[in-house]
Amino acid sequence: MFVFHSFNRTFAHRKRLKLRTMKRKVLWTIVFLFLPLQFVSAQSWENEYQQYMNMDDIESSTWEETSELLSELEQHPLNLNAITREQLERLPFLTDQEIEDICAYVYRYAPLKSMGELAMMASLDANKRRLLQCFVYLGEVEQQDSVGIKHKVYDHHEVIFTAKIPFYRREGDKGDYLGECCRHQFRYRYQHGEHLRLGLVGAQDAGEPFLKNKNKMGYDFYSYYLMVNDWKRVKSAIVGKYRMNMGMGLVLNNDFMLGKTTALASMGRQRQVLQPHSSTSPDHYLQGIAATLRLSPQWTFTLFFSYRLLDGTVNKDSLTISSIVTGGYHRTVGEMAKKDNTGQTTAGSQLVYKQGTFHVGLGAVYTHVSRSLNPNRNVIYRYYYPRGKDFMNIGTDYGWRSGRFALSGETAIDRKGVLATMNTVSYRLMPELNMLVVQRFYGMKYEALHAQSFSEGGRVQNESGIYLGMEWKPSHRLVVSAYGDWAYFPWARYQVSRSSKAQDYQATMTYQWHDWSFSLRYRLRLKEKDNEEKTALVVQQEQRARLLASYHGTKLSSRTQIDLASIGKQTASWGWSISQQMGYQLSKNMELHAGAAYFHTDDYSSRLYLYERGMLYQFSNPVCYGHGIRYSLMFKAQLSHRLLVNIKAGVTDYFDRSSISSGLQQISHSSQTDLDLQVKWRF
């Protein structure tokens, strides 16, 4: 009996200690969240770009590629006094009107003496001006000769090493994973003036073998490229791994994809680029050679060839694959067996005519896979997934802009003649009010392995819909934007065994008051899904709201964010969080950034995305669900003109569980701590 009572006292004591520790952590988090002193923080595109994207859609977007593009532009900004339209078109958040206004102002008034002159461009609101300043600088105006602009010739070498060290062990680290628990990568980049770029990237995920198994060459993934720009008739040419898109992405797009919020920010403008794959992502790229040639001032011709190896899920016949595996993880024997087991050959071309504000293009892509695609037709939503070894797509894209009106679109067919089309119309009713309409129809039998475009379902297949967006600037301080999207799916989808519909509405209001910016966003999504008996469809309701307050002064900066989520109706899943990001400029070359967040959600469906400062070329958006706190500390030191060091520690503490995740990813602890290290050397 004495032993029993002693055990009870010990258990109760431990429970009180755990509760006391949890209260202490929550108290310190609240103190940090509401600390009145806001410290110095360097301006970051990540913070500003949050206004124009939804992390809720991250599963269906190429966000890593977008982050890679903007991070690279931030590290290698453009000279605003010598900027061209093609350079501005690389920025996905600018509209055609904004690009036109910037070019016209620079042409007329260059050289600009201050970034404050951006306020003279009426189409740019305060948020766009701050975001643009992250990617441009005011340099000297380049001299011109009889041929054109003379670019300054310079040589830049850049090497970056990054590592993530976990202070915990997952179940897979005890023997099932083939490699070590640390994630690490390196990047090398060489640039010669504006004409030549060379790069090499190596990446290793946690748990993947290094210098052994199938990775005898070291890293699990490599990317390499050599790119030439503006050399005689060659507009751009790449050897190695690259990304490109045609038109609106119905035939080919492994680059940036329009989301619903970014579509409104850019008024439906899609980027037409050929660029190297300098990302650590093992998906969404081609490998081989590609070139865009200037046949005349109006005509350009692009030709490309690619051969690469894919990961495939092999069927029981050992000859076909049921799906192409994305994600690139090779941590276990099963995952490693799928690595590079299927070859993919892709070839295509595009001819484009552009005269003034009118353009039209014709493109074709042929793809062959060494193992025939044979998805499981017993799963009804996969019945019309691409099938076979050979695929062919042809599409024509078009666009025309005149004053307040702009039209663009693409219409494509596959090898069986199935149609897919997407068209956008934007109209400036008045200087303060812009309207956008996006129509799409993707046949349920349409097959295109490289297609990626505007959609609700995440695929260029089995969807038709209409999107209406509006952006209103009643004053230079206030911006109001809203959209509504209605989609219809004629065939079954995941968790939906018959035709269904979906609706998506969002409204955002941003107010600028001196150096302060206040933003309020509300989103409502309605999706039809199977009931538990799979006898009828029920409407799942998802509501999300965000309140954001940020301060952007000469030295001081802060970001306070409150998020709310409600999923379902009668048995709603609720979630909320409050987060604060702060920083301190220790000296001219040293910065200290800190962030903290408290979150409380019922389950994973009401999960919330938090923003915090990350390493170079990495955008940090932790996904939080359950009950807990998240805090991080980052130190940035520019030790010399050549050497930069970043150190970041991040901790997530959960109060509602004794273990994190499940399966081989399970951590037998309620806390997760990671240390990120990064060194950048320029020479």
Side-chain angles (χ1 to χ4, degrees):
M1 182 66 70
F2 174 77
V3 174
F4 179 75
H5 284 295
S6 176
F7 175 79
N8 279 345
R9 286 196 301 270
T10 303
F11 179 78
H13 178 66
R14 289 179 178 177
K15 188 174 181 180
R16 286 194 299 271
L17 284 177
K18 185 176 181 180
L19 183 62
R20 193 178 304 160
T21 302
M22 184 188 77
K23 289 181 178 179
R24 189 182 299 117
K25 289 180 178 180
V26 171
L27 177 62
W28 279 109
T29 303
I30 292 174
V31 170
F32 182 83
L33 290 174
F34 294 99
L35 195 65
L37 179 60
Q38 307 300 328
F39 300 102
V40 178
S41 176
Q43 188 174 8
S44 169
W45 69 265
E46 302 167 349
N47 188 22
E48 299 298 331
Y49 197 63
Q50 288 271 335
Q51 299 284 347
Y52 307 107
M53 45 80 78
N54 268 327
M55 291 308 298
D56 307 337
D57 297 329
I58 192 171
E59 293 88 354
S60 61
S61 70
T62 53
W63 172 244
E64 184 171 351
E65 284 75 17
T66 305
S67 175
E68 175 76 21
L69 166 70
L70 296 180
S71 295
E72 185 170 307
L73 287 173
E74 182 186 39
Q75 294 299 306
H76 308 90
L78 306 170
N79 182 1
L80 187 58
N81 282 322
I83 207 158
T84 65
R85 182 179 183 88
E86 288 183 352
Q87 289 175 325
L88 286 172
E89 286 176 345
R90 297 175 63 191
L91 299 173
F93 54 85
L94 292 178
T95 68
D96 280 323
Q97 184 63 49
E98 290 164 350
I99 292 174
E100 190 70 31
D101 288 351
I102 294 171
C103 289
Y105 188 90
V106 171
Y107 177 79
R108 185 173 181 180
Y109 297 108
L112 279 64
K113 301 299 183 182
S114 167
M115 287 294 184
E117 293 189 56
L118 293 174
M120 304 301 293
M121 305 169 197
S123 58
L124 288 176
D125 58 55
N127 289 326
K128 285 280 183 78
R129 293 198 298 271
R130 285 200 305 268
L131 185 56
L132 180 62
Q133 289 179 48
C134 297
F135 307 108
V136 298
Y137 71 97
L138 297 179
E140 298 178 359
V141 179
E142 309 288 356
Q143 299 297 319
Q144 295 185 352
D145 59 13
S146 58
V147 178
I149 295 178
K150 288 182 178 179
H151 296 285
K152 290 183 177 179
V153 177
Y154 54 87
D155 291 284
H156 284 166
H157 296 265
E158 180 179 287
V159 180
I160 299 178
F161 292 95
T162 306
K164 178 183 284 290
I165 304 171
F167 288 83
Y168 50 84
R169 292 190 71 189
R170 300 188 186 274
E171 287 299 312
D173 297 328
K174 299 176 182 179
D176 291 291
Y177 285 163
L178 301 174
E180 301 300 324
C181 60
C182 295
R183 176 184 178 184
H184 52 98
Q185 58 188 241
F186 80 92
R187 297 169 183 268
Y188 167 73
R189 169 187 167 130
Y190 165 71
Q191 183 167 346
H192 177 74
E194 299 290 337
H195 298 292
L196 180 65
R197 291 171 60 186
L198 174 68
L200 177 64
V201 177
Q204 191 85 14
D205 286 312
E208 293 178 337
F210 184 74
L211 287 173
K212 58 184 178 180
N213 207 292
K214 288 187 178 181
N215 297 339
K216 289 183 173 58
M217 295 298 292
Y219 284 93
D220 183 73
F221 172 78
Y222 284 100
S223 183
Y224 47 88
Y225 60 87
L226 172 65
M227 183 174 187
V228 176
N229 289 313
D230 297 322
W231 181 65
K232 297 182 179 180
R233 288 191 174 273
V234 177
K235 181 180 179 182
S236 58
I238 295 180
V239 176
K241 297 185 178 181
Y242 58 91
R243 303 198 303 264
M244 63 181 299
N245 71 307
M246 293 181 177
M248 309 302 288
L250 305 187
V251 172
L252 170 65
N253 179 19
N254 43 49
D255 190 62
F256 177 76
M257 182 180 69
L258 283 177
K260 294 180 181 179
T261 309
T262 53
L264 192 57
S266 63
M267 281 292 127
R269 182 183 65 85
Q270 183 66 294
R271 300 168 61 245
Q272 306 283 333
V273 295
L274 169 63
Q275 65 179 27
H277 180 70
S278 54
S279 169
T280 59
S281 171
D283 303 311
H284 307 298
Y285 69 86
L286 299 172
Q287 178 176 269
I289 185 169
T292 298
L293 308 175
R294 293 190 182 94
L295 304 182
S296 73
Q298 293 79 33
W299 291 92
T300 58
F301 180 64
T302 301
L303 186 67
F304 65 93
F305 174 83
S306 166
Y307 177 78
R308 58 165 298 195
L309 297 174
L310 305 171
D311 296 359
T313 302
V314 181
N315 290 320
K316 292 181 180 180
D317 59 13
S318 300
L319 300 175
T320 63
I321 56 175
S322 61
S323 63
I324 295 173
V325 180
T326 59
Y329 289 116
H330 305 114
R331 301 162 297 187
T332 64
V333 174
E335 290 175 346
M336 185 60 75
K338 297 178 182 180
K339 183 177 181 180
D340 299 341
N341 62 10
T342 303
Q344 182 189 76
T345 303
T346 305
S349 62
Q350 184 184 35
L351 183 64
V352 177
Y353 174 81
K354 185 173 183 179
Q355 179 66 50
T357 59
F358 169 79
H359 83 268
V360 61
L362 178 65
V365 174
Y366 166 77
T367 301
H368 172 81
V369 288
S370 60
R371 293 177 187 261
S372 180
L373 276 168
N374 186 23
N376 183 7
R377 284 194 168 185
N378 293 326
V379 180
I380 187 171
Y381 71 86
R382 295 177 178 171
Y383 192 83
Y384 290 116
Y385 275 20
R387 179 180 298 271
K389 280 190 172 184
D390 298 284
F391 303 88
M392 182 75 179
N393 298 88
I394 300 175
T396 178
D397 66 283
Y398 34 83
W400 174 66
R401 181 169 50 85
S402 177
R404 299 180 176 182
F405 177 84
L407 166 70
S408 61
E410 182 178 14
T411 299
I413 58 173
D414 65 8
R415 57 177 176 164
K416 298 177 182 178
V418 182
L419 179 72
T421 184
M422 173 183 168
N423 299 277
T424 71
V425 177
S426 63
Y427 185 68
R428 189 156 49 102
L429 297 175
M430 56 186 71
E432 303 83 16
L433 182 61
N434 291 317
M435 304 292 293
L436 174 66
V437 180
V438 180
Q439 171 273 332
R440 76 264 191 196
F441 171 81
Y442 310 144
M444 66 181 182
K445 299 181 181 180
Y446 183 72
E447 297 180 344
L449 296 187
H450 300 286
Q452 191 169 223
S453 191
F454 187 98
S455 69
E456 167 67 25
R459 300 174 61 89
V460 183
Q461 187 185 53
N462 185 38
E463 179 175 335
S464 60
I466 191 77
Y467 168 99
L468 301 177
M470 175 273 294
E471 185 179 70
W472 181 39
K473 301 177 182 178
S475 70
H476 67 283
R477 298 182 182 272
L478 180 64
V479 178
V480 179
S481 62
Y483 72 73
D485 184 55
W486 299 266
Y488 173 70
F489 311 98
W491 188 250
R493 299 191 302 136
Y494 178 64
Q495 296 183 338
V496 188
S497 58
R498 63 197 72 187
S499 59
S500 61
K501 294 176 290 186
Q503 302 174 51
D504 187 2
Y505 307 94
Q506 179 175 290
T508 305
M509 180 176 66
T510 303
Y511 182 75
Q512 185 76 24
W513 184 68
H514 298 295
D515 294 327
W516 285 90
S517 178
F518 303 92
S519 176
L520 177 63
R521 174 188 293 174
Y522 172 76
R523 188 179 191 186
L524 171 65
R525 304 180 78 177
L526 304 171
K527 289 185 177 181
E528 291 183 333
K529 290 191 173 182
D530 288 333
N531 60 8
E532 293 184 2
E533 297 78 19
K534 296 187 178 181
T535 58
L537 296 180
V538 295
V539 177
Q540 177 180 287
Q541 177 178 287
E542 177 181 338
Q543 299 182 80
R544 293 184 181 272
R546 171 175 294 175
L547 176 62
L548 176 65
S550 57
Y551 177 76
H552 299 273
T554 305
K555 295 183 178 181
L556 301 179
S557 177
S558 72
R559 175 191 175 94
T560 306
Q561 181 175 307
I562 299 175
D563 286 282
L564 303 171
S566 172
I567 314 296
K569 291 184 178 179
Q570 287 80 11
T571 58
S573 171
W574 289 86
W576 68 277
S577 70
I578 178 170
S579 61
Q580 174 73 57
Q581 296 295 316
M582 307 191 321
Y584 181 65
Q585 191 85 23
L586 298 172
S587 66
K588 182 180 178 181
N589 298 320
M590 294 186 182
E591 300 175 12
L592 187 66
H593 299 272
Y598 176 85
F599 58 91
H600 198 164
T601 77
D602 291 338
D603 49 38
Y604 182 75
S605 61
S606 55
R607 64 192 178 278
L608 299 166
Y609 294 91
L610 306 176
Y611 163 78
E612 65 184 31
R613 195 68 178 266
M615 301 283 104
L616 292 176
Y617 299 102
Q618 295 179 6
F619 189 59
S620 181
N621 263 84
V623 182
C624 296
Y625 65 95
H627 182 203
I629 57 176
R630 166 75 184 179
Y631 43 96
S632 64
L633 186 67
M634 177 175 168
F635 175 70
K636 178 180 179 181
Q638 188 75 50
L639 300 181
S640 70
H641 175 68
R642 301 179 183 275
L643 181 61
L644 171 69
V645 176
N646 286 321
I647 304 174
K648 176 185 176 182
V651 182
T652 305
D653 277 325
Y654 292 95
F655 307 140
D656 59 347
R657 68 196 71 176
S658 58
S659 63
I660 303 172
S661 193
S662 60
L664 295 180
Q665 287 291 94
Q666 181 173 311
I667 303 169
S668 299
H669 200 274
S670 62
S671 179
Q672 180 177 348
T673 304
D674 293 278
L675 179 66
D676 290 272
L677 303 174
Q678 187 177 71
V679 177
K680 174 185 173 183
W681 174 259
R682 297 187 68 182
F683 56 96

